[in-house]
C-alpha cells in the first residue's frame, strides 16, 4: 500500500529563486507539483521526502524559469488488489460505508459488510442489523479486502476502490474482537 520510491521528474525553478537552487527548494517545488497526483506506475504521491540529485538545469525559449531534472525519494500510496487494509468509516450512506484507507476512500457496499440485512439509520449515520443488533457507523475501525479498483490519473478524487468485509477475519474491529473472545470462552469450556 505505502511504498518508498525513487523517482525522477523535471521541476521549474522560478527566476526569483535562481540564487537559491538547493535540494530543499527543489523538494518544496516537487511537493507543490506532485503531492496528491496519481501516477499509474507508482500510485498516488503522498509526499516527497528527499532530493538526491539535481541536473544542470536547462533554459527553454520564452520561459522565465530554469528547468532541473531531479532524482528524489517519495512516499506513494498504491492499493493492491486482494490487499487487506485497516481503515476508519468516514461516511455512512444507504448503500454502504465509505472507509478512509490513506489518501482515498474505499466503498464497503452494504452487501459486502454482513450476511445479515443491514438497515440504514440516517439520523445516527449507521447501518444496523435487527437480527443480531450489530451496528456499524462513522468512526468505527474496520478491516477489509480490496476487491476492485479503478484509478483516475486525471482526477484522483474520482478513483474508486471497492472493499469487502464478508470473509473470515474481516469486518468491524469490535465484531472481530467479540468473535475471538467467544472462541476463547468456548475453548475454555
Amino acid at each position: 500500500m505505502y511504498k518508498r520510491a525513487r523517482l525522477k521528474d523535471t521541476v521549474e525553478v522560478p527566476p526569483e529563486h535562481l540564487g537559491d537552487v538547493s535540494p530543499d527548494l527543489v523538494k518544496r517545488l516537487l511537493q507543490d507539483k506532485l503531492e496528491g497526483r496519481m501516477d499509474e506506475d507508482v500510485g498516488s504521491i503522498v509526499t516527497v521526502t528527499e532530493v538526491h540529485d539535481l541536473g544542470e538545469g536547462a533554459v527553454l525559449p520564452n520561459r522565465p524559469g530554469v528547468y532541473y531534472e531531479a532524482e528524489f525519494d517519495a512516499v506513494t500510496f498504491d492499493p493492491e488488489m486482494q490487499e487487506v487494509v485497516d481503515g476508519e468509516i468516514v461516511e455512512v450512506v444507504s448503500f454502504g460505508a465509505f472507509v478512509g484507507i490513506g489518501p482515498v476512500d474505499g466503498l464497503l457496499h452494504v452487501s459486502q459488510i454482513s450476511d445479515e440485512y443491514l438497515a440504514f439509520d440516517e439520523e445516527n449515520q449507521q447501518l444496523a442489523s435487527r437480527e443480531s443488533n450489530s451496528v456499524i457507523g462513522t468512526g468505527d475501525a474496520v478491516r477489509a479486502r480490496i476487491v476492485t479498483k479503478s484509478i483516475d490519473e486525471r482526477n484522483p478524487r474520482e478513483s474508486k476502490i471497492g472493499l469487502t468485509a464478508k470473509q473470515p477475519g474481516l469486518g468491524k474491529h469490535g465484531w472481530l474482537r467479540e468473535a475471538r473472545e467467544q472462541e476463547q470462552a468456548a475453548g475454555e469450556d
Side-chain angles (χ1 to χ4, degrees):
M1 179 173 297
Y2 287 98
K3 298 175 185 162
R4 184 177 180 165
R6 178 75 50 104
L7 304 172
K8 285 185 177 183
D9 200 352
T10 302
V11 64
E12 177 186 8
V13 176
E16 61 270 19
H17 294 293
L18 290 176
D20 179 35
V21 178
S22 65
D24 284 340
L25 172 68
V26 171
K27 178 181 169 183
R28 285 193 312 272
L29 293 170
L30 285 167
Q31 287 171 332
D32 290 345
K33 177 182 178 186
L34 299 175
E35 286 180 3
R37 290 198 41 212
M38 190 69 72
D39 179 275
E40 188 175 307
D41 296 325
V42 299
S44 176
I45 297 174
V46 177
T47 190
V48 174
T49 57
E50 186 177 354
V51 174
H52 293 286
D53 188 30
L54 283 175
E56 290 297 314
V59 176
L60 299 177
N62 299 320
R63 297 291 195 135
V66 178
Y67 292 81
Y68 289 86
E69 181 77 23
E71 184 175 300
F72 57 95
D73 287 338
V75 175
T76 63
F77 174 81
D78 188 19
E80 301 288 331
M81 290 292 292
Q82 303 306 317
E83 181 176 6
V84 174
V85 295
D86 282 323
E88 181 177 313
I89 295 181
V90 295
E91 183 182 6
V92 178
V93 292
S94 61
F95 54 86
F98 288 96
V99 180
I101 54 168
V104 297
D105 296 339
L107 173 63
L108 189 54
H109 191 270
V110 69
S111 68
Q112 295 299 310
I113 297 173
S114 170
D115 288 328
E116 299 176 18
Y117 173 77
L118 297 174
F120 176 54
D121 177 355
E122 187 172 4
E123 182 178 324
N124 296 310
Q125 282 293 292
Q126 60 188 16
L127 295 166
S129 165
R130 290 192 179 98
E131 295 173 42
S132 64
N133 292 324
S134 298
V135 174
I136 191 165
T138 304
D140 286 340
V142 295
R143 179 165 293 150
R145 180 181 309 278
I146 296 173
V147 291
T148 61
K149 77 174 191 175
S150 174
I151 304 300
D152 186 338
E153 286 184 47
R154 295 195 192 283
N155 190 356
R157 300 297 303 157
E158 296 299 317
S159 296
K160 294 176 179 33
I161 296 176
L163 305 170
T164 185
K166 284 180 76 169
Q167 299 162 340
L170 304 178
K172 179 178 168 180
H173 284 198
W175 298 344
L176 297 174
R177 190 170 36 257
E178 289 171 12
R180 280 193 306 274
E181 290 168 1
Q182 288 175 355
E183 286 178 18
Q184 289 173 347
E188 293 173 3
D189 291 341

